[in-house]
Amino acid sequence: DVKVTQSSRYLVKRTGEKVFLECVQDMDHENMFWYRQDPGLGLRLIYFSYDVKMKEKGDIPEGYSVSREKKERFSLILESASTNQTSMYLCASSPGTDYNEQFFGPGTRLTVL
Amino acid sequence: GQNIDQPTEMTATEGAIVQINCTYQTSGFNGLFWYQQHAGEAPTFLSYNVLDGLEEKGRFSSFLSRSKGYSYLLLKELQMKDSASYLCAVTDSNYQLIWGAGTKLIIKP
């Protein structure tokens, strides 16, 4: 069964802390994505990766970085968390084919105090 | 720019039928997805259309007209558990998925 897991469902951090959000997929998918979702704004793409060690900026990359050292793992890093980064973070993966259905992890609800 | 429009919110009655519309303007088209998302949960796949016409899957159907840049999701025999947000997403010419903001569907008894 297709599975995407995220390291935490809920996370509370303080302003200025460095935050790591981990995502792992077991489907051998080429593509991985990080989104944030806020009420009324829908899904907004932060970063994505089409291959190991490869990354591309999405629509809102400011304040974030990513790492993909292994095919199955895609990490999102908040170098210095701020209150406006309080949000639901969703990781997704898709096969590297024309049919690009995305499979989502359960999400991490991050609160920055 | 690329744009996907969906109504923000809709209300329907249990047992009834509801149609959620999606219009899109994207650089190219390589397919359209509908996802369901319950509050506090991740989106889950509902349907995929790449050719014009209607795709039926149980109580849910999805329609596509590429010439009009239009799709709809039809939900029949509504149940309370259908209360959720419904997201429309289009694959553009670069095979990137462009997301709509979602339609929150409220089902009343």
Side-chain angles (χ1 to χ4, degrees):
Chain A
D1 199 17
V2 164
K3 199 148 188 183
V4 181
T5 57
Q6 295 183 228
S7 47
S8 305
R9 286 302 304 271
Y10 300 93
L11 209 52
V12 179
K13 295 292 182 180
R14 298 214 172 266
T15 301
E17 280 192 82
K18 191 169 186 175
V19 182
F20 293 87
L21 302 182
E22 301 282 333
C23 176
V24 178
Q25 52 96 0
D26 65 359
M27 297 161 283
D28 200 34
H29 281 172
E30 304 293 327
N31 308 327
M32 297 188 75
F33 307 84
W34 275 106
Y35 295 92
R36 64 177 283 178
Q37 188 174 34
D38 302 288
L41 295 179
L43 288 169
R44 292 186 290 168
L45 183 63
I46 304 171
Y47 268 96
F48 61 99
S49 170
Y50 286 152
D51 202 353
V52 176
K53 296 193 185 294
M54 176 270 177
K55 60 187 178 185
E56 293 281 350
K57 292 180 180 179
D59 301 318
I60 52 164
E62 296 77 19
Y64 304 94
S65 62
V66 290
S67 172
R68 193 164 180 204
E69 295 296 318
K70 294 184 177 182
K71 188 176 185 180
E72 67 270 19
R73 188 180 298 269
F74 193 36
S75 303
L76 180 69
I77 303 151
L78 287 66
E79 295 290 342
S80 177
S82 64
T83 55
N84 63 11
Q85 292 178 310
T86 291
S87 188
M88 169 69 93
Y89 289 87
L90 288 159
C91 175
S93 71
S94 71
T97 64
D98 292 351
Y99 178 72
N100 60 342
E101 178 189 345
Q102 292 188 10
F103 299 83
F104 285 85
T108 296
R109 184 163 293 282
L110 173 66
T111 302
V112 183
L113 301 176
Chain B
Q2 311 212 80
N3 195 49
I4 296 181
D5 286 317
Q6 310 178 230
T8 303
E9 187 174 297
M10 299 182 70
T11 302
T13 305
E14 190 177 15
I17 299 172
V18 71
Q19 178 175 312
I20 303 174
N21 294 326
C22 169
T23 57
Y24 61 89
Q25 290 177 310
T26 56
S27 56
F29 176 87
N30 283 299
L32 184 146
F33 292 89
W34 284 97
Y35 281 75
Q36 180 190 60
Q37 186 178 24
H38 286 103
E41 297 182 11
T44 55
F45 169 82
L46 279 180
S47 69
Y48 174 70
N49 295 69
V50 66
L51 299 176
D52 290 351
L54 188 68
E55 294 280 342
E56 297 186 80
K57 193 187 291 186
R59 294 189 298 115
F60 293 6
S61 303
S62 56
F63 171 83
L64 175 67
S65 168
R66 289 173 295 171
S67 63
K68 295 182 180 177
Y70 168 69
S71 173
Y72 67 73
L73 181 69
L74 191 72
L75 291 75
K76 302 176 184 175
E77 301 169 15
L78 286 169
Q79 302 175 10
M80 298 303 294
K81 67 178 182 180
D82 297 329
S83 291
S85 289
Y86 292 85
L87 311 180
C88 174
V90 172
T91 303
D92 70 8
S93 56
N94 294 320
Y95 291 93
Q96 301 237 25
L97 206 52
I98 312 302
W99 293 89
T103 299
K104 183 177 181 180
L105 178 64
I106 299 167
I107 310 295
K108 295 186 175 180

